[in-house]
Amino acid sequence: MKFGPENNLKQNICFQLLFWTALFLFGMARNYGENDSGISSEILIYNFCHWIFQIAGANFIYFVLIRNFFDRKKYLTFSLYLIFSLYIISVINRIFIVYFAEPLFMSVPKDSFFSIFTDIGYLWTHYTFPIITGAFIFISVMFVIRYKDEKENTAKLQQEKAELELKSLKSQLNPHFLFNTLNNIYSLSLSNSEKTSESISRLSDILDYILYKGPRNEVPISEELAVIDHYTALESLRYSEGRLKISKTVTLHPAVTIPPLLYLTLVENAFKHGAGKTTGQTEIKIDVSTDRSYSVFRIENTCEGDEDNSSEGIGLKNIERQLRLHYPDDFILKVSKENNIFKVEIKTPATL
């Protein structure tokens, strides 16, 4: 049950009707059990009068004192106002009973106002204590509801934050990839290469995947590997025959899914820091293996001795952030460089 601004009044009224009605009926049932003669009209009136001031006192304590002082850690002010409020509410309750309720069923001399204000012991026993009892139960329930709502709101905010961050990551990735690819096509067009139209077709397939599959939370791994094939074919158009040596080994379980663009970013990174930064032959190896529990993606590329793929900025950093958002602690990301071979390995659960 939430008490947000949009639903506060309606839900608060429904909750309080249910809660205070149940508390009143419980009090009447207890009196019925304690009195062999049943419940008289006098007992009913007394209980009703106390019940009204329990409601008023509990709501004042929670919505005014707790919200304005206790929640703001003004504990001394809260305590002083609480004591004073309980005293005033108890006095008003007794005045109401003595001067308005009791004349309905008895004719006895009324207590003076001085007596009502100064008889602290009687006020505490017959008026303050019932108000405290009802208020304590009510406030305890309200704190439980409040804790539950705050926990749900925190979880919702964390989920929304993760979704916004994922969208931000993808908005970084897509222009980054598109910029590199359009540069490739531009280079081909300058030389009037016959490969220009083929590269545009390949790019169209990749953009279709990015636009329609990229916003999803997960995609079949087979679809990600298909767009990688388009990408490697597109990149291969840039280089002379024999310049690239690309190999791919795939062992797939059909039910495996991954976040879209996860593997494509690593392939792009391998081309950028492999063939893009070397003059000789560049070798890129891709190995994908999956089972019912995990999927493992490995990619390695040759690079110059002073080239460091991990310094490229948004590539590997995006990968790590996406992994943490999708699989908070249930993933493995290994990055290494040895003998001019840069390697990256990702191990993730088979499904999100």
Side-chain angles (χ1 to χ4, degrees), residues 23-186:
L23 190 66
F24 179 77
L25 294 176
F26 174 78
M28 295 301 298
R30 185 186 60 183
N31 287 329
Y32 181 82
E34 294 175 351
N35 294 276
D36 297 334
S37 58
I39 300 176
S40 64
S41 59
E42 290 86 352
I43 294 177
L44 182 62
I45 293 173
Y46 274 122
N47 282 350
F48 182 77
C49 293
H50 286 298
W51 180 67
I52 291 174
F53 283 91
Q54 280 182 324
I55 296 173
N59 278 273
F60 180 81
I61 292 171
Y62 181 76
F63 287 104
V64 177
L65 299 185
I66 290 180
R67 287 293 182 87
N68 290 287
F69 302 104
F70 186 85
D71 287 349
R72 298 178 182 179
K73 299 182 179 180
K74 299 179 179 180
Y75 302 124
L76 178 59
T77 305
F78 167 77
S79 300
L80 294 175
Y81 276 129
L82 177 63
I83 294 171
F84 180 74
S85 300
L86 288 172
Y87 171 73
I88 294 299
I89 294 171
S90 299
V91 167
I92 296 173
N93 189 4
R94 187 175 178 187
I95 291 173
F96 183 82
I97 290 177
V98 170
Y99 284 88
F100 297 96
E102 288 182 344
L104 296 176
F105 57 86
M106 67 172 60
S107 297
V108 293
K110 298 179 177 63
D111 295 334
S112 65
F113 280 98
F114 179 81
S115 174
I116 291 174
F117 275 90
T118 57
D119 194 350
I120 303 299
Y122 189 82
L123 278 176
W124 166 259
T125 305
H126 293 84
Y127 294 92
T128 308
F129 184 74
I131 292 172
I132 291 175
T133 303
F136 176 79
I137 299 172
F138 173 76
I139 292 170
S140 298
V141 175
M142 291 297 289
F143 267 106
V144 171
I145 294 174
R146 193 164 131 188
Y147 172 78
K148 178 177 174 291
D149 288 346
E150 288 175 353
K151 190 173 181 180
E152 290 178 353
N153 290 335
T154 300
K156 185 177 179 180
L157 287 173
Q158 289 176 344
Q159 181 181 358
E160 291 176 352
K161 179 183 177 183
E163 291 174 354
L164 288 172
E165 191 165 354
L166 278 173
K167 290 179 181 179
S168 175
L169 291 172
K170 290 176 180 177
S171 69
Q172 291 175 357
L173 174 66
N174 297 351
H176 177 62
F177 165 74
L178 184 60
F179 175 79
N180 289 342
T181 306
L182 288 176
N183 270 345
N184 299 344
I185 296 175
Y186 176 71

Side-chain angles (χ1 to χ4, degrees), residues 169-225:
L169 291 172
K170 290 176 180 177
S171 69
Q172 291 175 357
L173 174 66
N174 297 351
H176 177 62
F177 165 74
L178 184 60
F179 175 79
N180 289 342
T181 306
L182 288 176
N183 270 345
N184 299 344
I185 296 175
Y186 176 71
S187 299
L188 292 172
S189 66
L190 289 178
S191 61
N192 295 319
S193 172
E194 297 178 354
K195 298 178 180 179
T196 304
S197 59
E198 182 183 351
S199 65
I200 292 174
S201 176
R202 296 285 186 182
L203 178 60
S204 176
D205 292 332
I206 294 173
L207 290 179
D208 181 75
Y209 179 82
I210 292 175
L211 290 173
Y212 295 103
K213 302 295 176 65
R216 296 182 182 180
N217 189 53
E218 59 183 333
V219 295
I221 194 172
S222 57
E223 294 185 7
E224 181 85 357
L225 295 180

